[in-house]
Amino acid sequence: MAQAITFAADKISSADTGFMLICSALVMLMTPGLAFFYGGMVRVKSALNMLMMSFISLGIVTVLWVLYGFSLAFGTDSGGLIGWDSGYLGFSGIDKGEVWSGYTIPTLVFAVFQLMFAVITPALISGALADRVKFAAWSLFVVLWVSVVYFPVAHWVWGTGGWAFELGVIDFAGGTAVHINAGAAALGVILVIGRRVGFKKDPMRPHSMPLVMLGAGLLWFGWFGFNAGSWLGNSDGVGALMFVNTQVATGAAVLAWLIYEKIRHGAFTTLGAASGAVAGLVAITPAGGAVSPLGAMAVGVIAGLLCAMAVGLKYRFNYDDSLDVVGVHLVGGIVGSLLIGFFATGEGQSDVAGLLYGGGLDQLWKQAAGVFGVLAYSLVASAVLALLIHKTVGMRVEEDQEISGIDQAEHAETAYDFSGVGGGSAKNTAPARAESNKVDA
């Protein structure tokens, strides 16, 4: 995955294979974690819909990845834009003992690890669309988006022969392919479907901060598999460096976000701590294999501050990014990717050095090419797909359904059922209270 120096391998390592299976499970856990994170941030009438928008990705993307997604992303390159290998279709041509080229893990393990990245990326987009998108339309969008956008972009960034890979763009675990890709897509879709009813007028506060913190904790935990696992082995310490840098950057981003928040708004909020953690995780994702721990700390601080500032831009420019996917994932991904051009030490995943370590501007312009190439493609393609769905089957629920609650309209359920609370006691005591009131009056 990372732009890396690969090592020769001709047999499966049980240690590396076991490690990668654990990392794959950790990345899978991030999608339910994201569901809790997003689910707690919305109003109570939309909580289930938010959970389902993440969970459906586990089903849809898993099937598509096995059928053709892995082939498009990691098959033989064609023109630097797409891959293809008929043996990967349905995994029918992959033997259980086949080794992923240049590594010591089975091809099936690499494929399932990459699958979990493909699953969570469209789920990230859903946070920008809270309260207002039909579930069937969202499901169709996921099918089209991973096919047209994610699978090709994954090939660009990580596939041998992909244009960004061959250019030398460093993206250790998904700053461009996952976070910029999802953030730009979110912006493209919300520009098509418009703002929520009551945007900038009604309070739209999170209904459950404990759920938000639970989700953030699960994301932080799973991110160690997301990042450290992306080296695909443990022979040279780069995975360990990435693990350490993930923790360092995230902690620094939490502090930076909270300090900014206290200065700007006068309080240290729980939502700010959770958002700062995600901002740090996003920013270190592309950079953690190339920078030192002190460099990771700088990445975290810069990302925490800039993302905290960026989440308010939606009010200034009047676009309704419901749960700050643009402000955190797009901005955080850009920050982390570009800072490689400054902070790469040349002693991590490769000998590439950034501007502050004597490497000049060479790596910075490569990073910029990767960032803005992915951003532009994802933004335009996602907007076109959303417009296509919006003009045919319709993307948005009816206004009255949005106001009354998308959970009931789309899922015939509510997140919390309080109908049994109090049992019969309320019924029995009500007349007594009423009679008492009459007497007092």
Side-chain angles (χ1 to χ4, degrees):
M1 288 183 61
Q3 183 74 20
I5 301 172
T6 60
F7 54 90
D10 57 5
K11 63 180 181 179
I12 293 173
S13 162
S14 58
D16 286 344
T17 299
F19 171 72
M20 290 306 302
L21 288 172
I22 292 171
C23 288
S24 300
L26 286 171
V27 182
M28 181 272 165
L29 183 65
M30 291 174 68
T31 298
L34 181 72
F36 284 125
F37 182 68
Y38 282 167
M41 288 176 69
V42 296
R43 291 168 289 180
V44 68
K45 63 183 181 180
S46 306
L48 290 182
N49 179 254
M50 205 71 259
L51 294 170
M52 282 291 287
M53 289 177 82
S54 286
F55 266 79
I56 195 62
S57 187
L58 281 162
I60 292 173
V61 181
T62 296
V63 171
L64 298 183
W65 185 254
V66 173
L67 291 178
Y68 60 83
F70 184 58
S71 179
L72 292 177
F74 291 99
T76 303
D77 175 69
S78 178
L81 299 176
I82 199 69
W84 185 255
D85 189 324
S86 60
Y88 292 162
L89 299 180
F91 288 7
S92 58
I94 304 175
D95 184 83
K96 68 180 185 299
E98 178 183 329
V99 179
W100 186 244
S101 179
Y103 292 88
T104 57
I105 60 173
T107 297
L108 284 174
V109 172
F110 176 76
V112 79
F113 181 67
Q114 281 290 329
L115 162 62
M116 302 311 174
F117 283 69
V119 164
I120 197 171
T121 306
L124 292 172
I125 302 169
S126 67
L129 316 179
D131 298 334
R132 61 200 189 276
V133 174
K134 295 177 182 178
F135 185 69
W138 166 251
S139 300
L140 176 59
F141 178 80
V142 171
V143 171
L144 297 176
W145 189 82
V146 294
S147 301
V148 174
V149 180
Y150 182 80
F151 298 157
V153 170
H155 179 76
W156 298 355
V157 175
W158 294 318
T160 302
W163 69 263
F165 184 91
E166 296 302 323
L167 180 63
V169 176
I170 293 175
D171 187 352
F172 196 97
T176 54
V178 175
H179 298 292
I180 293 173
N181 201 2
L187 182 59
V189 176
I190 58 182
L191 292 177
V192 170
I193 67 171
R195 299 177 292 274
R196 288 170 290 178
V197 175
F199 176 66
K200 293 171 61 174
K201 298 178 181 179
D202 299 337
M204 299 180 179
R205 292 184 291 269
H207 88 278
S208 176
M209 283 310 304
L211 279 186
V212 173
M213 294 302 284
L214 172 64
L218 289 173
L219 284 168
W220 194 334
F221 176 68
W223 224 293
F224 290 114
F226 193 88
N227 280 357
S230 292
W231 195 242
L232 306 181
N234 285 308
S235 67
D236 54 9
V238 175
L241 174 66
M242 184 56 162
F243 192 107
V244 170
N245 284 346
T246 298
Q247 181 67 20
V248 170
T250 307
V254 170
L255 298 180
W257 189 299
L258 289 176
I259 291 170
Y260 172 83
E261 194 172 53
K262 177 64 175 177
I263 295 171
R264 182 71 174 81
H265 303 292
F268 303 111
T269 70
T270 312
L271 183 59
S275 300
V278 175
L281 291 163
V282 169
I284 201 61
T285 291
V291 303
S292 69
L294 287 178
M297 192 175 297
V299 169
V301 169
I302 295 169
L305 291 174
L306 292 182
C307 290
M309 296 176 188
V311 296
L313 294 177
K314 61 185 178 182
Y315 301 111
R316 179 178 299 177
F317 295 105
N318 212 31
Y319 62 90
D320 188 5
D321 176 17
S322 309
L323 307 183
D324 300 318
V325 179
V326 175
V328 174
H329 292 276
L330 178 58
V331 173
I334 292 172
V335 168
S337 297
L338 292 181
L339 286 180
I340 295 170
F342 293 93
F343 294 131
T345 64
E347 298 177 355
Q349 66 185 79
S350 70
D351 60 1
V352 172
L355 180 63
L356 299 182
Y357 287 82
L361 295 174
D362 184 60
Q363 192 60 37
L364 182 59
W365 79 259
K366 293 178 181 179
Q367 296 304 119
V371 163
F372 294 107
V374 170
L375 193 161
Y377 177 71
S378 183
L379 176 67
V380 173
S382 303
V384 170
L385 292 175
L387 185 62
L388 176 65
I389 296 172
H390 196 49
K391 295 297 184 181
T392 53
V393 301
M395 266 303 253
R396 291 190 65 148
V397 298
E398 298 296 328
E399 183 173 325
D400 60 338
Q401 294 176 329
E402 182 181 335
I403 293 171
S404 62
I406 195 171
D407 284 358
Q408 192 64 51
E410 289 292 299
H411 307 291
E413 297 172 308
T414 56
Y416 306 100
D417 184 359
F418 298 112
S419 61
V421 175
S425 60
K427 180 178 180 181
N428 293 336
T429 59
R433 290 199 300 272
E435 187 64 30
S436 174
N437 290 338
K438 288 180 181 179
V439 172
D440 293 340

